[in-house]
Amino acid sequence: MFSRFSLLLGIALRHISKRKRQTLVAIAGVGIGVGFFLAVSALMIGSQNDFVETLIDAAPHIIISDEIRSPTPQPAVRAFPDAAVEVRHYKTRNEVRGIKDWQGLMRTIGARSDAVASPSLSGAVTLRVGGREEALAIVGIEPGIEAQVSDVEQYLKEGRLRNLETTQGGVIIGEEMASRLGVRMGDIMAATSARGVTRTLKIVGLFERGRGQFGGSSGYVLLREAQSLTSQPFVINRIGIRLDDPYAAEDIAKRLEARYGYKAESWQERSADFLSLLVTRNVIMYTVISAILLVASFGIYTVVSTSVADKRRDIAIMRSMGFSSGDLQAVFVMEGFTLACVGVLAGWGLGFALMQVLGSIEFNIQGSTETMPLDRSFFQYAISAGASLFSAIIAAWLPARKAAQVDPVDILRGAV
Amino acid sequence: MTGTPLIRAEGLTRVLAVEPPVTLIRDVSFEINRGEFVAVIGPSGCGKSSLLYLLGLLDRPTEGRLLFDGEDTTGTDGNARANLRLARFGFVFQFHFLLPEFTALENVTLPMRRLGWLGGAEIDARGRALLGAMGLEGQEHKTPDKMSGGQRQRVAIARALANDPALLLGDEPTGNLDSLNSKRVIEIFHDLAAKEGRTIICVTHDPEVAASAHRRIHMLDGRIERID
Ligand SMILES: Nc1ncnc2c1ncn2[C@@H]1O[C@H](COP(=O)(O)OP(=O)(O)O)[C@@H](O)[C@H]1O
Ligand SMILES: [Mg+2]
């Protein structure tokens, strides 16, 4: 069996080695197809991964807020659901905002070994330095826990999250805000809340410029500080959860929301628009790539079908020698397959080289030098090889069937 | 065993399904024994080659039966027929059909490698021996385009003998050779029949070849006129 295979392969190799130009063109076709597949998909998937990673880690994987998706019915309606009399113009009871029983929620999440939850309270204050005033959305956190849940620590240009604990009245604001107020690290500002509470805050950290919300209008303080500034002791209105497996977020969020009633938003829900955009992008990418590989396999089709046409006499000879029609079909399929294999290897080389080039390009984004995110995973190599070899087998098999159908007697008669 | 003829044709008929149908071979019956050298003769276009293709299992009769070594080959499938050709038959055609990409030795060893009964070294040795027996020592690594017509035809004979066939089928094997080379080929055929006991069926136009055969099948218009 093996000797037969190697014999037929030997014949196939001998055939293609005698038609160098066509062989080269077919190999180049597959090689270029595979090479660009690798380069393009490395770039597309690399940037996608980079993007999704940013989506995932920009904020906690799940955010439970004190909102409720469908507001609870008013007490009167709740008491008499099928009442004949409809109560109108009732006054909405102004419930104290915040998550009730947040300690219970924290315990539920704390019981999971794959999740960390960080409670926070957000509110608004006005900062005042000298004659200047700026509105600041403050977020009260437990620095130790928050650091495990989100990447805020990474966005700090100066200072550390921990400084909030060590400095009484510490606050972290963004560079933009600081420059608007004309303050620097260690400076002291007055903060006044809507309830009229005023405190002095000291800058213990600065967020990098260009970090969206962090840079501009948000500031971090200690949770206790936020609670007393907004006169809401023991209240929190947000729980951020980080999971070991971010892809479980959607599922866990649904269950938490069903159980506690509060809106639990997963990163997937938060980024649904972007994610569906990525799907479209992938469909387009793979369509284009498949077209490239399909065109590459045309080269193989051409080589094999001209080879079959040129070798009709040899086919008849081999048939008379005792080769079966299946043997001859195999010879020509192997011709195409061999070309595709060499093409794939060449394409891997080309793709690798292209990735090296792409990876070496550096460009500046807001002061920091970055390179293109590339996905160099083996998976892409395997996919490109699999798709090329599969299409090559089809492309070779179609004309190779003709080799099997050659009637040696027709050829022998015609040869005389 | 020796009692059964190697080949037994019973009313072989081959009609080509063209419009109008052409009858290549019409109701042909005969027997050929082991070790016989039989010549097939007749005017051009009388169906000699067509008969040879039927006997070599390259073609199928539309009617009648063909028994090889007592076994009916009529209903056998393509693979079985290919295997029989591989192991038991050898063909030599007028236009020494060698594979152009392969050397003389490779052409000769190809059937052995396909059959796979011998190891690589044995195949190589046998290929060299066969070429040597055809007076082609030193030519093993030449490709067909570097050889003369007579040399190529002897390579083709060596290849036909590769798997030690019981039956050698020749279609005007000397038709394209000068008289010296023709003589050599005919001597080789006689030796193969007389010394090695092979059966040889040879289509020929050469009166000398015909005269030297054990028997002659005379054909005319797809029919056997007589056998003598
Ligand atoms: N495809 C075909 N259509 C019509 N006639 C054919 C065809 N092929 C062969 N023949 C005819 O069959 C006859 C037998 O041919 P062949 O066996 O080659 O004769 P020979 O070998 O004795 O010269 C010839 O007369 C030839 O013209
Ligand atoms: Mg003829």
Side-chain angles (χ1 to χ4, degrees), chain B residues 94-106:
Chain B
Q94 180 176 2
F95 295 97
H96 37 77
F97 280 142
L98 299 180
L99 298 175
E101 291 94 351
F102 294 84
T103 64
L105 184 61
E106 286 169 334

Side-chain angles (χ1 to χ4, degrees), chain A residues 164-395:
Chain A
L164 294 176
E165 281 171 338
T166 52
T167 308
Q168 176 73 27
V171 65
I172 301 174
I173 59 171
E175 276 190 287
E176 283 103 321
M177 170 71 79
S179 57
R180 281 203 297 273
L181 287 166
V183 290
R184 278 183 283 165
M185 274 289 279
D187 286 356
I188 294 189
M189 309 169 290
T192 311
S193 73
R195 303 263 172 124
V197 181
T198 298
R199 304 222 164 202
T200 55
L201 296 178
K202 185 180 183 185
I203 300 178
V204 296
L206 286 173
F207 289 118
E208 278 173 12
R209 223 168 259 283
R211 284 298 181 181
Q213 48 160 355
F214 299 110
S217 53
S218 292
Y220 275 50
V221 295
L222 216 52
L223 180 57
R224 262 181 286 114
E225 193 76 54
Q227 285 167 340
S228 70
L229 251 171
T230 59
S231 313
Q232 289 175 296
F234 308 113
V235 172
I236 64 133
N237 60 5
R238 197 183 99 134
I239 298 176
I241 301 170
R242 188 179 195 102
L243 301 168
D244 288 350
D245 172 18
Y247 290 90
E250 202 162 18
D251 210 43
I252 294 173
K254 272 206 187 85
R255 276 186 279 145
L256 287 173
E257 183 162 338
R259 178 156 170 201
Y260 290 96
Y262 290 108
K263 181 176 169 189
E265 196 180 38
S266 62
W267 67 270
Q268 287 106 322
E269 186 184 347
R270 196 164 67 222
S271 342
D273 289 354
F274 288 119
L275 292 178
S276 68
L277 207 68
L278 291 181
V279 172
T280 315
R281 212 172 87 124
N282 281 338
V283 169
I284 293 170
M285 175 180 88
Y286 281 107
T287 309
V288 172
I289 292 303
S290 314
I292 294 175
L293 293 180
L294 192 68
V295 171
S297 62
F298 289 169
I300 295 202
Y301 180 91
T302 310
V303 172
V304 176
S305 70
T306 49
S307 184
V308 170
D310 289 357
K311 293 279 171 225
R312 286 167 62 82
R313 204 183 84 126
D314 295 26
I315 292 169
I317 302 171
M318 285 194 267
R319 291 293 302 279
S320 76
M321 278 161 60
F323 283 77
S324 67
S325 56
D327 288 339
L328 284 146
Q329 181 164 347
V331 164
F332 288 93
V333 170
M334 283 178 191
E335 282 184 28
F337 193 71
T338 307
L339 293 179
C341 285
V342 178
V344 164
L345 289 178
W348 280 1
L350 176 65
F352 183 81
L354 286 173
M355 282 188 231
Q356 292 300 104
V357 172
L358 288 174
S360 69
I361 298 173
E362 293 179 344
F363 46 93
N364 283 326
I365 291 179
Q366 291 175 336
S368 64
T369 305
E370 307 230 352
T371 55
M372 292 190 213
L374 292 172
D375 174 52
R376 297 164 190 261
S377 64
F378 174 74
F379 183 68
Q380 294 304 321
Y381 285 88
I383 284 236
S384 62
S388 303
L389 296 183
F390 178 74
S391 56
I393 285 187
I394 305 274

